[in-house]
Amino acid sequence: MRKSGKNAPDLSLPAAAADMQMRMALRQMNFAPGAAPAARPVRDGETALALKRREWLLDVMDRQRALSSYASGLLTAENPSSDDFLHLFYAPGRPVIIKGAMTGWPALEKWTPDYLAATVGEAMVEYQGGRDEAADYELMKDRHKRRAPFSRFIELVRGGGNDAYITAYNNAANAAAFKGLEPDLGYLDAYLTRAHGMLWFGGQGAFTPLHFDLTNNLLAQVTGTKRIILIPPSQTRQLAHRRHVFSDVHDVTDPRRLAAHPAARDVLRYELVLTPGDLLFIPIGWWHQVRSESFSAMLTYTNFLWPNAGHDSYPG
Ligand SMILES: O=C(O)CCC(=O)C(=O)O
């Protein structure tokens, strides 16, 4: 206890009361030891304002990046080293087309529809089928699983169309059937651990609608070409993102879809054609849609040399 002077009133508090006053003051500042402060429910208006502020920040950052074509453009790199890939693309979450990293892979010369049919033969494979009958074929993947001998699958896709497609979703089921193709593949030691990627086989017109992935992803084009549209995560507000990782816009090149979702008309987007021997790094959260321009064989990889576990904490 403290005395302030001989005749002055005692302004000090009993120890317990002083302690309580201190704790009350700290509690007001959210510093109470032990017990967490009771959270005041967040009001809808506050959430909306917080979201608006986040969108504002993303818009400002996009405008700032647009000041430099180097900062805002889609870059192509010739066989970047592991360190350059990490520092310039993987860690910043920036897409890049990589040329020259698949040089010498026998698959680049060999993988025609005829060679694939002869090598995999009659082995049963799983594929995604009946896609023409349902627009939500990617969301409802399980409903579209089908099985056929691989040579029959090749006949199904040879003439083109989107109805049948072997995708990464079928990878586990097809591991044994595709084992004989592995000697035709190389490794990408600068970026990945030593494991082969997930195979995609489809005909001209196979279409994967607009979505983003919950991991960083590396595409390796082997046969044919694919036209890909990439859209930065900052544009999400304009893409009707309602279901899981999918956009209700589905296809930002389809005028009917754009009429239904006019906000998607002027999204910032990058368009590229992936040709045999090209890699495309798609960072986590980047929207993309993919259309095969011919018969296509491709691999996708997620086994990077660096952490890649965004899916662990994805809300919902
Ligand atoms: O090539 C495709 O059709 C789609 C690839 C893709 O979207 C992905 O791997 O996330």
Side-chain angles (χ1 to χ4, degrees):
M1 287 220 290
R2 173 180 61 84
K3 296 268 186 191
S4 52
K6 193 165 181 269
N7 299 314
D10 184 356
L11 298 177
S12 65
L13 293 165
D19 185 41
M20 177 177 287
Q21 194 184 47
M22 176 62 85
R23 273 190 288 133
M24 284 169 62
L26 290 176
R27 196 172 278 263
Q28 274 173 0
M29 291 186 285
N30 287 349
F31 281 116
R40 179 174 63 72
V42 178
R43 299 186 188 103
D44 284 353
E46 287 174 339
T47 309
L49 183 59
L51 278 175
K52 265 191 192 158
R53 287 175 173 154
R54 201 176 305 176
E55 296 298 343
W56 165 85
L57 184 57
L58 293 172
D59 287 348
V60 169
M61 288 165 70
D62 273 347
R63 281 203 296 275
Q64 187 161 313
R65 262 192 296 276
L67 296 175
S68 147
S69 55
Y70 178 80
S72 60
L74 177 62
L75 298 182
T76 298
E78 190 65 35
N79 216 356
S81 69
S82 190
D83 272 358
D84 282 351
F85 177 70
L86 171 65
H87 296 302
L88 299 175
F89 304 109
Y90 193 81
R94 177 169 195 182
V96 62
I97 301 165
I98 295 178
K99 302 268 184 191
M102 296 166 70
T103 304
W105 288 27
L108 292 174
E109 302 297 325
K110 289 182 165 177
W111 282 16
T112 61
D114 286 341
Y115 170 86
L116 293 165
T119 307
V120 180
E122 301 306 299
M124 290 297 286
V125 292
E126 182 186 281
Y127 66 99
Q128 298 302 111
R131 291 159 49 109
D132 285 346
E133 289 144 29
D136 58 357
Y137 53 82
E138 268 294 312
L139 185 65
M140 299 298 173
K141 286 184 179 77
D142 283 325
R143 285 192 197 156
H144 291 272
K145 282 185 181 174
R146 308 279 188 276
R147 288 181 71 75
F150 185 72
S151 56
R152 166 83 189 120
F153 169 81
I154 289 289
E155 290 317 309
L156 283 179
V157 300
R158 219 187 252 279
N162 187 36
D163 197 54
Y165 197 13
I166 288 179
T167 76
Y169 197 58
N170 308 118
N171 181 59
N174 293 338
F178 293 149
K179 200 89 193 134
L181 296 174
E182 287 183 0
D184 298 340
L185 301 173
Y187 292 102
L188 297 163
D189 291 332
Y191 322 123
L192 303 171
T193 61
R194 282 228 160 186
H196 289 302
M198 295 168 271
L199 282 160
W200 298 68
F201 294 112
Q204 177 181 23
F207 178 67
T208 300
L210 191 62
H211 69 286
F212 61 88
D213 295 328
L214 299 179
T215 55
N216 296 291
N217 195 2
L218 190 69
L219 277 54
Q221 188 68 21
V222 176
T223 309
T225 58
K226 282 185 169 177
R227 183 168 293 272
I228 302 182
I229 292 179
L230 288 173
I231 301 177
S234 61
Q235 307 294 295
T236 298
R237 177 183 37 168
Q238 287 157 260
L239 294 177
H241 176 211
R242 297 204 181 84
R243 294 178 298 166
H244 190 41
V245 296
F246 299 100
S247 161
D248 286 357
V249 181
H250 195 81
D251 176 0
V252 289
T253 67
D254 181 343
R256 283 166 310 163
R257 293 287 185 162
L258 292 176
H261 299 280
R265 281 203 183 111
D266 60 350
V267 285
L268 172 59
R269 68 189 218 201
Y270 303 89
E271 188 158 342
L272 66 125
V273 175
L274 209 59
T275 62
D278 290 349
L279 303 178
L280 174 66
F281 171 58
I282 304 183
I284 187 168
W286 274 69
W287 293 91
H288 50 287
Q289 63 177 64
V290 181
R291 183 169 272 113
S292 298
E293 295 195 319
S294 60
F295 175 83
S296 164
M298 188 190 82
L299 297 113
T300 51
Y301 299 84
T302 57
N303 50 306
F304 288 94
L305 298 176
W306 309 280
N308 192 18
H311 54 283
D312 281 356
S313 48
Y314 182 61

PDB file of all heavy atoms in Angstrom, residues 131 165 167-168 200 206-209 211-213 217 219 221 226 228 282 288-292 296 298 300, ligand 1:
ATOM      1  N   ARG A 131     -19.773 -37.673 -70.224  1.00  0.00           N
ATOM      2  CA  ARG A 131     -19.617 -36.253 -69.885  1.00  0.00           C
ATOM      3  C   ARG A 131     -20.517 -35.359 -70.730  1.00  0.00           C
ATOM      4  O   ARG A 131     -20.860 -34.248 -70.314  1.00  0.00           O
ATOM      5  CB  ARG A 131     -18.148 -35.848 -70.046  1.00  0.00           C
ATOM      6  CG  ARG A 131     -17.256 -36.484 -68.996  1.00  0.00           C
ATOM      7  CD  ARG A 131     -15.790 -36.534 -69.387  1.00  0.00           C
ATOM      8  NE  ARG A 131     -15.211 -35.317 -69.869  1.00  0.00           N
ATOM      9  CZ  ARG A 131     -14.312 -34.568 -69.210  1.00  0.00           C
ATOM     10  NH1 ARG A 131     -13.896 -34.926 -68.014  1.00  0.00           N
ATOM     11  NH2 ARG A 131     -13.817 -33.487 -69.769  1.00  0.00           N
ATOM     12  N   TYR A 165     -12.669 -39.190 -71.193  1.00  0.00           N
ATOM     13  CA  TYR A 165     -11.380 -38.536 -70.894  1.00  0.00           C
ATOM     14  C   TYR A 165     -10.755 -39.314 -69.741  1.00  0.00           C
ATOM     15  O   TYR A 165     -11.431 -39.608 -68.747  1.00  0.00           O
ATOM     16  CB  TYR A 165     -11.671 -37.085 -70.477  1.00  0.00           C
ATOM     17  CG  TYR A 165     -10.517 -36.099 -70.508  1.00  0.00           C
ATOM     18  CD1 TYR A 165      -9.310 -36.380 -71.132  1.00  0.00           C
ATOM     19  CD2 TYR A 165     -10.664 -34.842 -69.928  1.00  0.00           C
ATOM     20  CE1 TYR A 165      -8.287 -35.432 -71.170  1.00  0.00           C
ATOM     21  CE2 TYR A 165      -9.650 -33.887 -69.964  1.00  0.00           C
ATOM     22  CZ  TYR A 165      -8.460 -34.195 -70.589  1.00  0.00           C
ATOM     23  OH  TYR A 165      -7.447 -33.269 -70.629  1.00  0.00           O
ATOM     24  N   THR A 167      -8.385 -38.826 -66.741  1.00  0.00           N
ATOM     25  CA  THR A 167      -7.890 -37.658 -66.006  1.00  0.00           C
ATOM     26  C   THR A 167      -7.083 -38.127 -64.788  1.00  0.00           C
ATOM     27  O   THR A 167      -7.027 -39.329 -64.479  1.00  0.00           O
ATOM     28  CB  THR A 167      -9.058 -36.774 -65.509  1.00  0.00           C
ATOM     29  OG1 THR A 167      -9.662 -37.410 -64.371  1.00  0.00           O
ATOM     30  CG2 THR A 167     -10.111 -36.549 -66.589  1.00  0.00           C
ATOM     31  N   ALA A 168      -6.528 -37.150 -64.087  1.00  0.00           N
ATOM     32  CA  ALA A 168      -5.753 -37.460 -62.876  1.00  0.00           C
ATOM     33  C   ALA A 168      -6.624 -38.207 -61.855  1.00  0.00           C
ATOM     34  O   ALA A 168      -6.109 -38.963 -61.030  1.00  0.00           O
ATOM     35  CB  ALA A 168      -5.207 -36.180 -62.262  1.00  0.00           C
ATOM     36  N   TRP A 200      -3.120 -38.040 -68.360  1.00  0.00           N
ATOM     37  CA  TRP A 200      -4.358 -37.548 -68.957  1.00  0.00           C
ATOM     38  C   TRP A 200      -4.329 -37.935 -70.444  1.00  0.00           C
ATOM     39  O   TRP A 200      -3.385 -37.587 -71.143  1.00  0.00           O
ATOM     40  CB  TRP A 200      -4.437 -36.026 -68.885  1.00  0.00           C
ATOM     41  CG  TRP A 200      -4.446 -35.428 -67.511  1.00  0.00           C
ATOM     42  CD1 TRP A 200      -3.413 -35.433 -66.621  1.00  0.00           C
ATOM     43  CD2 TRP A 200      -5.513 -34.721 -66.899  1.00  0.00           C
ATOM     44  NE1 TRP A 200      -3.787 -34.768 -65.481  1.00  0.00           N
ATOM     45  CE2 TRP A 200      -5.067 -34.312 -65.624  1.00  0.00           C
ATOM     46  CE3 TRP A 200      -6.820 -34.367 -67.289  1.00  0.00           C
ATOM     47  CZ2 TRP A 200      -5.861 -33.583 -64.744  1.00  0.00           C
ATOM     48  CZ3 TRP A 200      -7.603 -33.638 -66.408  1.00  0.00           C
ATOM     49  CH2 TRP A 200      -7.139 -33.263 -65.157  1.00  0.00           C
ATOM     50  N   ALA A 206     -11.718 -32.334 -75.713  1.00  0.00           N
ATOM     51  CA  ALA A 206     -11.847 -32.641 -74.275  1.00  0.00           C
ATOM     52  C   ALA A 206     -11.701 -31.322 -73.515  1.00  0.00           C
ATOM     53  O   ALA A 206     -10.795 -30.535 -73.807  1.00  0.00           O
ATOM     54  CB  ALA A 206     -10.779 -33.627 -73.840  1.00  0.00           C
ATOM     55  N   PHE A 207     -12.605 -31.122 -72.560  1.00  0.00           N
ATOM     56  CA  PHE A 207     -12.628 -29.802 -71.905  1.00  0.00           C
ATOM     57  C   PHE A 207     -12.731 -29.952 -70.394  1.00  0.00           C
ATOM     58  O   PHE A 207     -13.631 -30.623 -69.880  1.00  0.00           O
ATOM     59  CB  PHE A 207     -13.829 -28.986 -72.434  1.00  0.00           C
ATOM     60  CG  PHE A 207     -13.943 -27.632 -71.779  1.00  0.00           C
ATOM     61  CD1 PHE A 207     -12.976 -26.657 -71.999  1.00  0.00           C
ATOM     62  CD2 PHE A 207     -15.009 -27.340 -70.926  1.00  0.00           C
ATOM     63  CE1 PHE A 207     -13.062 -25.412 -71.388  1.00  0.00           C
ATOM     64  CE2 PHE A 207     -15.103 -26.096 -70.312  1.00  0.00           C
ATOM     65  CZ  PHE A 207     -14.133 -25.131 -70.537  1.00  0.00           C
ATOM     66  N   THR A 208     -11.787 -29.318 -69.705  1.00  0.00           N
ATOM     67  CA  THR A 208     -11.853 -29.250 -68.238  1.00  0.00           C
ATOM     68  C   THR A 208     -12.295 -27.841 -67.866  1.00  0.00           C
ATOM     69  O   THR A 208     -11.608 -26.865 -68.178  1.00  0.00           O
ATOM     70  CB  THR A 208     -10.478 -29.565 -67.614  1.00  0.00           C
ATOM     71  OG1 THR A 208     -10.100 -30.886 -68.021  1.00  0.00           O
ATOM     72  CG2 THR A 208     -10.540 -29.500 -66.103  1.00  0.00           C
ATOM     73  N   PRO A 209     -13.470 -27.729 -67.216  1.00  0.00           N
ATOM     74  CA  PRO A 209     -14.010 -26.401 -66.949  1.00  0.00           C
ATOM     75  C   PRO A 209     -13.212 -25.611 -65.900  1.00  0.00           C
ATOM     76  O   PRO A 209     -12.360 -26.158 -65.204  1.00  0.00           O
ATOM     77  CB  PRO A 209     -15.430 -26.687 -66.448  1.00  0.00           C
ATOM     78  CG  PRO A 209     -15.467 -28.113 -66.087  1.00  0.00           C
ATOM     79  CD  PRO A 209     -14.363 -28.810 -66.806  1.00  0.00           C
ATOM     80  N   HIS A 211     -11.663 -23.947 -62.919  1.00  0.00           N
ATOM     81  CA  HIS A 211     -11.515 -24.344 -61.514  1.00  0.00           C
ATOM     82  C   HIS A 211     -10.131 -23.936 -61.047  1.00  0.00           C
ATOM     83  O   HIS A 211      -9.298 -23.508 -61.853  1.00  0.00           O
ATOM     84  CB  HIS A 211     -11.668 -25.869 -61.378  1.00  0.00           C
ATOM     85  CG  HIS A 211     -10.532 -26.632 -61.978  1.00  0.00           C
ATOM     86  ND1 HIS A 211     -10.365 -26.768 -63.338  1.00  0.00           N
ATOM     87  CD2 HIS A 211      -9.465 -27.269 -61.419  1.00  0.00           C
ATOM     88  CE1 HIS A 211      -9.254 -27.460 -63.584  1.00  0.00           C
ATOM     89  NE2 HIS A 211      -8.687 -27.763 -62.431  1.00  0.00           N
ATOM     90  N   PHE A 212      -9.882 -24.084 -59.764  1.00  0.00           N
ATOM     91  CA  PHE A 212      -8.506 -23.957 -59.285  1.00  0.00           C
ATOM     92  C   PHE A 212      -8.164 -25.208 -58.501  1.00  0.00           C
ATOM     93  O   PHE A 212      -9.048 -25.973 -58.097  1.00  0.00           O
ATOM     94  CB  PHE A 212      -8.301 -22.683 -58.431  1.00  0.00           C
ATOM     95  CG  PHE A 212      -9.138 -22.626 -57.187  1.00  0.00           C
ATOM     96  CD1 PHE A 212      -8.695 -23.179 -55.990  1.00  0.00           C
ATOM     97  CD2 PHE A 212     -10.389 -22.016 -57.200  1.00  0.00           C
ATOM     98  CE1 PHE A 212      -9.470 -23.132 -54.838  1.00  0.00           C
ATOM     99  CE2 PHE A 212     -11.172 -21.952 -56.050  1.00  0.00           C
ATOM    100  CZ  PHE A 212     -10.711 -22.515 -54.870  1.00  0.00           C
ATOM    101  N   ASP A 213      -6.858 -25.433 -58.301  1.00  0.00           N
ATOM    102  CA  ASP A 213      -6.421 -26.631 -57.583  1.00  0.00           C
ATOM    103  C   ASP A 213      -6.029 -26.278 -56.151  1.00  0.00           C
ATOM    104  O   ASP A 213      -5.672 -25.133 -55.854  1.00  0.00           O
ATOM    105  CB  ASP A 213      -5.234 -27.278 -58.298  1.00  0.00           C
ATOM    106  CG  ASP A 213      -5.621 -27.795 -59.685  1.00  0.00           C
ATOM    107  OD1 ASP A 213      -6.786 -28.204 -59.857  1.00  0.00           O
ATOM    108  OD2 ASP A 213      -4.776 -27.766 -60.589  1.00  0.00           O
ATOM    109  N   ASN A 217       0.709 -27.137 -59.122  1.00  0.00           N
ATOM    110  CA  ASN A 217       0.535 -28.196 -60.109  1.00  0.00           C
ATOM    111  C   ASN A 217       1.467 -27.952 -61.299  1.00  0.00           C
ATOM    112  O   ASN A 217       1.602 -26.814 -61.747  1.00  0.00           O
ATOM    113  CB  ASN A 217      -0.939 -28.154 -60.558  1.00  0.00           C
ATOM    114  CG  ASN A 217      -1.385 -29.384 -61.299  1.00  0.00           C
ATOM    115  OD1 ASN A 217      -0.614 -30.323 -61.474  1.00  0.00           O
ATOM    116  ND2 ASN A 217      -2.625 -29.383 -61.749  1.00  0.00           N
ATOM    117  N   LEU A 219       2.084 -29.140 -65.225  1.00  0.00           N
ATOM    118  CA  LEU A 219       1.562 -29.885 -66.371  1.00  0.00           C
ATOM    119  C   LEU A 219       2.722 -30.163 -67.322  1.00  0.00           C
ATOM    120  O   LEU A 219       3.532 -29.258 -67.591  1.00  0.00           O
ATOM    121  CB  LEU A 219       0.513 -29.052 -67.114  1.00  0.00           C
ATOM    122  CG  LEU A 219      -0.933 -29.038 -66.603  1.00  0.00           C
ATOM    123  CD1 LEU A 219      -1.017 -28.658 -65.144  1.00  0.00           C
ATOM    124  CD2 LEU A 219      -1.799 -28.100 -67.441  1.00  0.00           C
ATOM    125  N   GLN A 221       3.208 -31.516 -71.126  1.00  0.00           N
ATOM    126  CA  GLN A 221       2.514 -31.909 -72.354  1.00  0.00           C
ATOM    127  C   GLN A 221       3.398 -32.856 -73.166  1.00  0.00           C
ATOM    128  O   GLN A 221       4.566 -32.552 -73.423  1.00  0.00           O
ATOM    129  CB  GLN A 221       2.183 -30.646 -73.167  1.00  0.00           C
ATOM    130  CG  GLN A 221       1.310 -30.886 -74.365  1.00  0.00           C
ATOM    131  CD  GLN A 221      -0.119 -31.299 -73.990  1.00  0.00           C
ATOM    132  OE1 GLN A 221      -0.582 -31.047 -72.888  1.00  0.00           O
ATOM    133  NE2 GLN A 221      -0.805 -31.960 -74.892  1.00  0.00           N
ATOM    134  N   LYS A 226      -2.815 -28.201 -76.099  1.00  0.00           N
ATOM    135  CA  LYS A 226      -3.945 -27.814 -75.246  1.00  0.00           C
ATOM    136  C   LYS A 226      -3.978 -26.299 -75.138  1.00  0.00           C
ATOM    137  O   LYS A 226      -2.930 -25.673 -74.956  1.00  0.00           O
ATOM    138  CB  LYS A 226      -3.794 -28.417 -73.848  1.00  0.00           C
ATOM    139  CG  LYS A 226      -4.185 -29.888 -73.790  1.00  0.00           C
ATOM    140  CD  LYS A 226      -4.157 -30.445 -72.390  1.00  0.00           C
ATOM    141  CE  LYS A 226      -4.819 -31.831 -72.368  1.00  0.00           C
ATOM    142  NZ  LYS A 226      -4.761 -32.452 -71.038  1.00  0.00           N
ATOM    143  N   ILE A 228      -5.042 -23.235 -72.943  1.00  0.00           N
ATOM    144  CA  ILE A 228      -5.278 -23.067 -71.502  1.00  0.00           C
ATOM    145  C   ILE A 228      -5.518 -21.601 -71.191  1.00  0.00           C
ATOM    146  O   ILE A 228      -4.799 -20.723 -71.693  1.00  0.00           O
ATOM    147  CB  ILE A 228      -4.064 -23.599 -70.704  1.00  0.00           C
ATOM    148  CG1 ILE A 228      -3.845 -25.076 -71.056  1.00  0.00           C
ATOM    149  CG2 ILE A 228      -4.254 -23.399 -69.201  1.00  0.00           C
ATOM    150  CD1 ILE A 228      -2.716 -25.750 -70.306  1.00  0.00           C
ATOM    151  N   ILE A 282       1.246 -24.184 -62.660  1.00  0.00           N
ATOM    152  CA  ILE A 282       0.018 -23.487 -62.241  1.00  0.00           C
ATOM    153  C   ILE A 282       0.035 -23.417 -60.712  1.00  0.00           C
ATOM    154  O   ILE A 282      -0.127 -24.437 -60.035  1.00  0.00           O
ATOM    155  CB  ILE A 282      -1.262 -24.215 -62.717  1.00  0.00           C
ATOM    156  CG1 ILE A 282      -1.235 -24.408 -64.240  1.00  0.00           C
ATOM    157  CG2 ILE A 282      -2.498 -23.423 -62.305  1.00  0.00           C
ATOM    158  CD1 ILE A 282      -2.490 -25.066 -64.802  1.00  0.00           C
ATOM    159  N   HIS A 288      -8.065 -22.039 -63.832  1.00  0.00           N
ATOM    160  CA  HIS A 288      -7.676 -22.446 -65.184  1.00  0.00           C
ATOM    161  C   HIS A 288      -8.758 -23.299 -65.827  1.00  0.00           C
ATOM    162  O   HIS A 288      -9.502 -23.998 -65.130  1.00  0.00           O
ATOM    163  CB  HIS A 288      -6.332 -23.187 -65.200  1.00  0.00           C
ATOM    164  CG  HIS A 288      -6.209 -24.307 -64.203  1.00  0.00           C
ATOM    165  ND1 HIS A 288      -6.060 -24.117 -62.853  1.00  0.00           N
ATOM    166  CD2 HIS A 288      -6.193 -25.656 -64.387  1.00  0.00           C
ATOM    167  CE1 HIS A 288      -5.957 -25.286 -62.239  1.00  0.00           C
ATOM    168  NE2 HIS A 288      -6.054 -26.239 -63.146  1.00  0.00           N
ATOM    169  N   GLN A 289      -8.842 -23.217 -67.138  1.00  0.00           N
ATOM    170  CA  GLN A 289      -9.680 -24.113 -67.928  1.00  0.00           C
ATOM    171  C   GLN A 289      -8.836 -24.586 -69.104  1.00  0.00           C
ATOM    172  O   GLN A 289      -7.938 -23.877 -69.564  1.00  0.00           O
ATOM    173  CB  GLN A 289     -10.952 -23.395 -68.399  1.00  0.00           C
ATOM    174  CG  GLN A 289     -10.722 -22.224 -69.324  1.00  0.00           C
ATOM    175  CD  GLN A 289     -12.052 -21.623 -69.805  1.00  0.00           C
ATOM    176  OE1 GLN A 289     -12.836 -21.095 -69.003  1.00  0.00           O
ATOM    177  NE2 GLN A 289     -12.313 -21.718 -71.110  1.00  0.00           N
ATOM    178  N   VAL A 290      -9.107 -25.813 -69.527  1.00  0.00           N
ATOM    179  CA  VAL A 290      -8.192 -26.465 -70.475  1.00  0.00           C
ATOM    180  C   VAL A 290      -8.999 -27.140 -71.583  1.00  0.00           C
ATOM    181  O   VAL A 290      -9.929 -27.911 -71.287  1.00  0.00           O
ATOM    182  CB  VAL A 290      -7.342 -27.537 -69.744  1.00  0.00           C
ATOM    183  CG1 VAL A 290      -6.381 -28.209 -70.718  1.00  0.00           C
ATOM    184  CG2 VAL A 290      -6.563 -26.915 -68.572  1.00  0.00           C
ATOM    185  N   ARG A 291      -8.633 -26.857 -72.835  1.00  0.00           N
ATOM    186  CA  ARG A 291      -9.315 -27.505 -73.960  1.00  0.00           C
ATOM    187  C   ARG A 291      -8.278 -28.164 -74.858  1.00  0.00           C
ATOM    188  O   ARG A 291      -7.313 -27.520 -75.283  1.00  0.00           O
ATOM    189  CB  ARG A 291     -10.113 -26.462 -74.739  1.00  0.00           C
ATOM    190  CG  ARG A 291     -10.907 -27.032 -75.885  1.00  0.00           C
ATOM    191  CD  ARG A 291     -11.901 -26.037 -76.485  1.00  0.00           C
ATOM    192  NE  ARG A 291     -13.199 -26.051 -75.812  1.00  0.00           N
ATOM    193  CZ  ARG A 291     -13.701 -25.057 -75.097  1.00  0.00           C
ATOM    194  NH1 ARG A 291     -13.033 -23.953 -74.920  1.00  0.00           N
ATOM    195  NH2 ARG A 291     -14.890 -25.163 -74.534  1.00  0.00           N
ATOM    196  N   SER A 292      -8.468 -29.449 -75.152  1.00  0.00           N
ATOM    197  CA  SER A 292      -7.536 -30.148 -76.045  1.00  0.00           C
ATOM    198  C   SER A 292      -7.824 -29.735 -77.479  1.00  0.00           C
ATOM    199  O   SER A 292      -8.978 -29.766 -77.923  1.00  0.00           O
ATOM    200  CB  SER A 292      -7.698 -31.666 -75.911  1.00  0.00           C
ATOM    201  OG  SER A 292      -7.380 -32.070 -74.601  1.00  0.00           O
ATOM    202  N   SER A 296      -4.558 -35.770 -77.197  1.00  0.00           N
ATOM    203  CA  SER A 296      -3.573 -35.234 -76.261  1.00  0.00           C
ATOM    204  C   SER A 296      -3.184 -36.258 -75.197  1.00  0.00           C
ATOM    205  O   SER A 296      -4.028 -37.009 -74.687  1.00  0.00           O
ATOM    206  CB  SER A 296      -4.170 -33.993 -75.582  1.00  0.00           C
ATOM    207  OG  SER A 296      -3.430 -33.666 -74.439  1.00  0.00           O
ATOM    208  N   MET A 298      -0.835 -36.084 -71.623  1.00  0.00           N
ATOM    209  CA  MET A 298      -0.212 -35.117 -70.731  1.00  0.00           C
ATOM    210  C   MET A 298      -0.033 -35.755 -69.354  1.00  0.00           C
ATOM    211  O   MET A 298      -0.726 -36.733 -69.017  1.00  0.00           O
ATOM    212  CB  MET A 298      -1.152 -33.903 -70.627  1.00  0.00           C
ATOM    213  CG  MET A 298      -0.601 -32.706 -69.900  1.00  0.00           C
ATOM    214  SD  MET A 298      -1.882 -31.453 -69.596  1.00  0.00           S
ATOM    215  CE  MET A 298      -2.653 -32.118 -68.126  1.00  0.00           C
ATOM    216  N   THR A 300       0.389 -34.676 -65.069  1.00  0.00           N
ATOM    217  CA  THR A 300       0.417 -33.609 -64.062  1.00  0.00           C
ATOM    218  C   THR A 300       1.136 -34.131 -62.821  1.00  0.00           C
ATOM    219  O   THR A 300       1.016 -35.309 -62.449  1.00  0.00           O
ATOM    220  CB  THR A 300      -0.994 -33.116 -63.678  1.00  0.00           C
ATOM    221  OG1 THR A 300      -1.819 -34.226 -63.345  1.00  0.00           O
ATOM    222  CG2 THR A 300      -1.627 -32.339 -64.800  1.00  0.00           C
TER     223      THR A 300
HETATM  224  O1  LIG B   1      -5.636 -30.969 -68.916  1.00  0.00           O
HETATM  225  C1  LIG B   1      -6.753 -30.862 -68.450  1.00  0.00           C
HETATM  226  O2  LIG B   1      -7.760 -31.158 -69.081  1.00  0.00           O
HETATM  227  C2  LIG B   1      -6.942 -30.293 -67.071  1.00  0.00           C
HETATM  228  C3  LIG B   1      -5.730 -30.211 -66.224  1.00  0.00           C
HETATM  229  C4  LIG B   1      -6.080 -29.514 -64.930  1.00  0.00           C
HETATM  230  O3  LIG B   1      -6.953 -28.694 -64.902  1.00  0.00           O
HETATM  231  C5  LIG B   1      -5.396 -29.808 -63.695  1.00  0.00           C
HETATM  232  O4  LIG B   1      -4.474 -30.629 -63.680  1.00  0.00           O
HETATM  233  O5  LIG B   1      -5.778 -29.207 -62.676  1.00  0.00           O
END
